[in-house]
Amino acid sequence: MKHISKLVLLVALVVFASCQNESTQEIENQQQAELRFDEKGMVVSDGEEDKELTFNEKSEELTTPSLTYAKGGGHHGGGHHGGGQNNDNNDYIDCTPELLETGYDTTVNVEVLNKPGTNGYFDVSIDGGDMIQAYCSDRLPSLGEDDDFIDFTVVSTYDTAILAGGEFENVYTNPQNFDKVNWILNNIDISEDSEYTYGHVQYAIWKLIEGPYDNDFTDYLTPNPGDWRRYIDDAIGDEIYDAAVANGEGYTPECGGKLGLLLIPADYDNVQAIMITKDLPEAECNDCIGDVNQITFKWDWYNDYRVRLYQRYENTCYAVKIFDSVVGHNDEMAVSGTNADGTFGKYIYVYVGNCYYTKFKVNCDLNIGPGYKRGVVEVVSGTSTSGGELCDYEPSYNWCWWW
């Protein structure tokens, strides 16, 4: 009997310990969740289904936020479907980057260090500072590796007063396309593993700003002059150009993005203007204060499934569908609250296939934020009504899991 009692006590201690203090590494391991199924092939839920949640004939109608609360901008994660807009709430300042502020003196001195550069058309130094990469912002005239210590005026690519009708209105053929250039800077990856290179980006920038042209300046589009493959690489550059035209109209970078800055010489008829990028400050974040009004989730599972998200209608028992789509690995689901005040209420309910899976507490009783997970669904970004952008979730060491 004593052995049985000890065994029962041991089991209880193990179960208790599984919800108690874990090392950071152990917590990280626990978060590698799996989607589990029962013997009937049904998704295994967290066991916390809300029995009071009621579905009626309107519950399967996809609901969008009230137009009254579909104002504003700021940084919010993109979605596979859906897409939230900012709650018209004045309790916090939304993140809007200053697009005319360059961060430099009006005039700077530029030294060309390398042409071609390490990951750009040029490597340059500004006012004796560290080496940075630069693009040509127009095709002609040229700027050589020996053209050092020239003064340039620094202008934001969004400063239309100067570019379209002011001092430098004659520098560029199509200054109205710098919104599309900024889309490229923020959406085209030119890291080592990408199919795109700085040369493909440079090609697309030339085409946007100068218009269609014969690509006869290829030597500096690759680190090794002569490596540019006209038919292959021109076509890849055209892919970037086409994507920018399709997606970049009216584009402005978000907090944490990149802003194109133009460096224009006084003698721009004989000296080439160039472009560098400025890293915009990240959005300031805060704890969850008030109620969550926007949130973006990520589907962290390798198979595609239909996912539906619900909230309660104005905190009644009736379910309101706010998202419905098939999502795949790393697809995002961005939603905004549909209550009259732009919030979700207490919970967002997650259904996978036809089954309840889990729910997220979004009334700020839990300090939810990016990195918080329930099973295979993870928070990517969000805002709260009085706190603004949500800070990254910091798990308690009193950790308990259900998957």
Side-chain angles (χ1 to χ4, degrees):
M1 187 68 178
K2 288 182 179 180
H3 291 297
I4 295 175
S5 299
K6 288 181 179 179
L7 182 60
V8 171
L9 180 59
L10 179 61
V11 171
L13 286 172
V14 170
V15 172
F16 177 76
S18 71
C19 291
Q20 294 302 307
N21 296 338
E22 301 287 339
S23 71
T24 302
Q25 184 60 49
E26 286 170 331
I27 289 175
E28 187 175 321
N29 290 340
Q30 308 299 342
Q31 286 193 301
Q32 306 307 309
E34 293 187 355
L35 198 62
R36 296 185 295 129
F37 303 88
D38 61 21
E39 63 280 1
K40 297 180 179 180
M42 308 296 281
V43 171
V44 175
S45 76
D46 62 2
E48 300 176 10
E49 188 168 4
D50 189 342
K51 302 299 183 183
E52 294 182 357
L53 186 65
T54 302
F55 290 80
N56 59 19
E57 67 278 2
K58 292 186 177 181
S59 295
E60 287 307 307
E61 297 176 4
L62 190 62
T63 304
T64 56
S66 167
L67 290 177
T68 306
Y69 290 92
K71 300 178 181 178
H75 174 71
H76 306 291
H80 183 85
H81 273 273
Q85 284 159 24
N86 198 23
N87 184 342
D88 189 18
N89 185 298
N90 294 319
D91 291 339
Y92 68 88
I93 300 174
D94 198 7
C95 179
T96 304
E98 176 51 67
L99 298 181
L100 298 183
E101 176 59 50
T102 68
Y104 290 92
D105 292 336
T106 302
T107 302
V108 297
N109 191 264
V110 174
E111 179 184 3
V112 179
L113 302 178
N114 299 299
K115 180 183 178 181
T118 53
N119 199 27
Y121 205 81
F122 304 98
D123 291 331
V124 301
S125 173
I126 297 178
D127 290 334
D130 293 339
M131 181 177 74
I132 59 175
Q133 283 67 53
Y135 291 104
C136 306
S137 57
D138 58 2
R139 294 185 72 236
L140 291 171
S142 65
L143 183 69
E145 190 171 359
D146 296 328
D147 293 333
D148 293 337
F149 307 112
I150 300 172
D151 287 339
F152 288 76
T153 299
V154 186
V155 178
S156 167
T157 46
Y158 286 91
D159 198 339
T160 56
I162 292 178
L163 297 175
E167 180 181 358
F168 297 117
E169 65 176 332
N170 296 321
V171 178
Y172 300 107
T173 305
N174 296 305
Q176 73 278 6
N177 281 340
F178 277 119
D179 53 355
K180 302 172 184 65
V181 171
N182 277 277
W183 183 91
I184 291 174
L185 298 177
N186 284 276
N187 290 278
I188 299 300
D189 176 23
I190 59 169
S191 62
E192 184 176 354
D193 296 330
S194 173
E195 67 175 306
Y196 301 120
T197 67
Y198 78 84
H200 301 131
V201 168
Q202 180 66 78
Y203 172 97
I205 290 172
W206 278 339
K207 191 169 182 178
L208 285 166
I209 301 306
E210 297 296 320
Y213 65 96
D214 178 21
N215 186 24
D216 50 357
F217 300 151
T218 62
D219 280 354
Y220 304 109
L221 293 176
T222 56
N224 298 311
D227 282 356
W228 185 266
R229 305 157 299 175
R230 282 287 297 268
Y231 295 106
I232 296 174
D233 289 310
D234 282 11
I236 296 174
D238 282 329
E239 287 181 12
I240 298 176
Y241 169 84
D242 291 341
V245 170
N247 300 287
E249 184 72 34
Y251 176 84
T252 56
E254 299 176 336
C255 291
K258 295 182 182 297
L259 171 66
L261 299 179
L262 302 172
L263 277 61
I264 305 175
D267 186 15
Y268 53 76
D269 287 330
N270 296 298
V271 180
Q272 188 172 40
I274 61 177
M275 182 177 68
I276 61 173
T277 60
K278 171 189 174 182
D279 291 331
L280 295 169
E282 296 282 351
E284 293 185 7
C285 67
N286 209 334
D287 290 341
C288 190
I289 304 173
D291 293 281
V292 175
N293 57 356
Q294 290 200 356
I295 197 162
T296 299
F297 300 107
K298 180 178 71 173
W299 178 252
D300 192 15
W301 185 243
Y302 51 80
N303 285 337
D304 296 359
Y305 282 92
R306 180 189 180 191
V307 175
R308 291 172 292 163
L309 304 179
Y310 296 88
Q311 67 171 85
R312 289 190 180 202
Y313 174 72
E314 298 295 347
N315 299 317
T316 66
C317 62
Y318 294 106
V320 173
K321 184 163 65 176
I322 55 177
F323 179 91
D324 187 348
S325 185
V326 174
V327 294
H329 187 233
N330 287 333
D331 279 347
E332 294 182 356
M333 303 170 279
V335 289
S336 296
T338 63
N339 285 342
D341 61 356
T343 66
F344 299 100
K346 187 174 182 179
Y347 289 108
I348 291 176
Y349 304 90
V350 181
Y351 281 71
V352 176
N354 295 317
C355 304
Y356 166 78
Y357 179 55
T358 191
K359 60 187 178 184
F360 285 78
K361 184 175 284 190
V362 286
N363 63 351
C364 290
D365 282 356
L366 170 71
N367 195 23
I368 197 170
Y372 179 75
K373 298 180 72 172
R374 297 284 296 173
V376 299
V377 182
E378 179 178 354
V379 176
V380 174
S381 65
T383 59
S384 61
T385 53
S386 299
E389 195 80 12
L390 297 174
C391 292
D392 289 349
Y393 174 70
E394 296 183 4
S396 166
Y397 284 103
N398 294 322
W399 188 262
C400 190
W401 61 93
W402 58 268
W403 54 85

